[in-house]
Amino acid sequence: LDHFFVLSARGDTIITRDFRGEAYKGTSELFFRKVKFWKGDPPPTFNHEGINFLHTKKNSLYFVFTTKTNVSASYVFELLNRLLKIFKDYTGVLTEEAIRKNFVLIYELVDEVIDFGYPQLTTTELIKPMVVNDPVMVESPSLANSFKTSVFSSKTISSNAAKKSVHSKGKQKNEIFVDIYERLSVLFNASGYIVNANIEGAIQMKSYLSGNPELRLILNDDLVIGRHNMAGGGFGTPAVLDDCVFHECVRLTDFEANKTITIMPPDGEFTVMNYRINTDYETPFRIFPFLDVVNNYQLELVLKVRASFQKKFSANNVVIRFPVPKNTSKCSFTFNSKVAGQKGEHKTDSGLFEWVVPKFIGGAEYGIRVKISISEGEISKAKKEVGPIRMNFEIPMFNVSNLQVKNLRISEKSKGYNPFKWVRYVTQASSYECRISS
């Protein structure tokens, strides 16, 4: 690798490190001009003027490696992801402010990880003894969801509590944070029936326990890996995962017998398990679109969205978007129900109509009626340009797969060792889409 740099959304160079002294001057400007004027989203890797650019974008920041040799792209992206994980472990959050305030620390981390363009140490645990600079902590954006210890305690704590540095000096609380993330991909047809559905899930941990003691994570008893292993009978809905992979620090000696995962946690944040569900499931939202022609210059879309999860849960920051015809002159709308803070907008620059619901209560059904006026052209062609409908949301303390953390045991036996254990469930939309019949 020849060069590593970090750019802001405006193209400002925040971090730059030339590993071999061979990088061209203005490489970062060359990259930014190329991606800024790229039609659509730029690919993660491309060649421009003899330079291979491999990049990822996080929180409006570009993290870029360059090389003039033919290297393995998957190898470079694995290195890039590990480097970003180390940055996050030390700074708490990956934001422009955090990187600017910790630029000396970031340079030190880059130099420990990569020497003369070759990776050396790529985990927080290995580089921790070599790092001498202390991080400057910054406030992270507040999130609607919070950590909750429903199986451990009745107390709650802010979700930003896990965004601390692993390099904190002085005495800090013995805490461990467990996240169960699920990202849903669903495709509905125009009648509201599921065409395709899958779940990408992960159990993530971030440990602030002194001494890194052995952990025993106990999952629900009815967990089944592989549908061919399902047995008949029983009560309730079991958690059935099609396949899963575990972190290298995990031991599975007791997994088959009592669904217990033994973990020797490394420093920083790590993924205990990734899992996937490829079959139909009870989706948290159902979408029902009804598109009609009013006259030769107007279409009407009646859109209903129903939350199928329980009333005790609520989805946050629900955003529903759909394309409108290119020759749309005006969009007017009315809401079918009164919801605090909901709003609709026709975004002329992107050709989308956007409906925002800040909080969607479980079991509720909300609707909107949108009248689309076109300035010219055939109404039949304009009708085909409406849709599909795409939905983004986040549901805290809820998951679709029924995977549950029953208990988390820590092997440390000394008196006075009473760590705090926090668990959080988060369900998000990855690709939640509904077609509209034309």
Side-chain angles (χ1 to χ4, degrees), residues 113-141:
V113 173
I114 302 171
D115 182 27
F116 201 66
Y118 296 98
Q120 304 296 316
L121 306 174
T122 59
T123 65
T124 304
E125 194 172 19
L126 291 175
I127 70 171
K128 195 173 182 180
M130 289 82 164
V131 177
V132 296
N133 287 287
D134 296 332
V136 178
M137 302 309 296
V138 300
E139 290 293 327
S140 59

Side-chain angles (χ1 to χ4, degrees), residues 342-380:
Q342 73 172 336
K343 59 183 180 180
E345 182 183 0
H346 174 212
K347 295 183 175 293
T348 54
D349 54 340
S350 59
L352 299 173
F353 184 88
E354 184 175 278
W355 175 26
V356 178
V357 181
K359 190 173 183 178
F360 206 120
I361 305 298
E365 180 178 293
Y366 300 152
I368 188 172
R369 184 184 300 267
V370 183
K371 291 187 177 180
I372 305 167
S373 300
I374 64 172
S375 57
E376 58 183 1
E378 296 181 19
I379 196 68
S380 58

Side-chain angles (χ1 to χ4, degrees), residues 30-185:
L30 192 69
F31 167 82
F32 186 72
R33 285 199 305 270
K34 188 68 176 176
V35 298
K36 187 172 179 64
F37 295 105
W38 201 289
K39 291 183 179 180
D41 294 328
T45 176
F46 59 87
N47 183 285
H48 183 54
E49 296 190 8
I51 303 173
N52 297 314
F53 293 94
L54 302 100
H55 71 97
T56 187
K57 189 176 182 181
K58 300 282 186 183
N59 299 330
S60 300
L61 297 173
Y62 292 99
F63 299 87
V64 190
F65 276 123
T66 72
T67 178
K68 286 174 284 190
T69 58
N70 186 18
V71 299
S72 168
S74 59
Y75 169 82
V76 175
F77 284 115
E78 176 65 22
L79 174 62
L80 188 56
N81 287 330
R82 291 196 183 196
L83 189 61
L84 298 191
K85 176 185 174 297
I86 292 172
F87 290 169
K88 187 178 178 184
D89 284 342
Y90 275 86
T91 62
V93 290
L94 267 181
T95 62
E96 182 176 345
E97 182 186 8
I99 291 178
R100 287 188 183 277
K101 287 187 175 181
N102 289 280
F103 74 95
V104 176
L105 173 62
I106 296 295
Y107 276 114
E108 183 181 14
L109 295 174
V110 172
D111 290 340
E112 292 293 347
V113 173
I114 302 171
D115 182 27
F116 201 66
Y118 296 98
Q120 304 296 316
L121 306 174
T122 59
T123 65
T124 304
E125 194 172 19
L126 291 175
I127 70 171
K128 195 173 182 180
M130 289 82 164
V131 177
V132 296
N133 287 287
D134 296 332
V136 178
M137 302 309 296
V138 300
E139 290 293 327
S140 59
S142 60
L143 298 176
N145 41 307
S146 62
F147 277 97
K148 186 175 179 180
T149 55
S150 56
V151 294
F152 307 127
S153 164
S154 60
K155 298 178 181 179
T156 60
I157 189 172
S158 168
S159 60
N160 292 332
K163 298 178 180 178
K164 300 184 297 184
S165 172
V166 297
H167 196 64
S168 299
K169 296 291 185 182
K171 186 177 180 181
Q172 62 178 6
K173 286 199 298 185
N174 280 311
E175 295 179 299
I176 184 163
F177 298 88
V178 183
D179 281 329
I180 296 89
Y181 286 109
E182 292 189 350
R183 294 179 62 80
L184 313 183
S185 296

Side-chain angles (χ1 to χ4, degrees), residues 2 17 19-20 44 51 53 104 175 296 345 388 435-436:
D2 298 332
R17 175 63 82 205
F19 299 120
R20 301 167 178 267
I51 303 173
F53 293 94
V104 176
E175 295 179 299
N296 289 335
E345 182 183 0
R435 295 170 177 166
I436 299 179

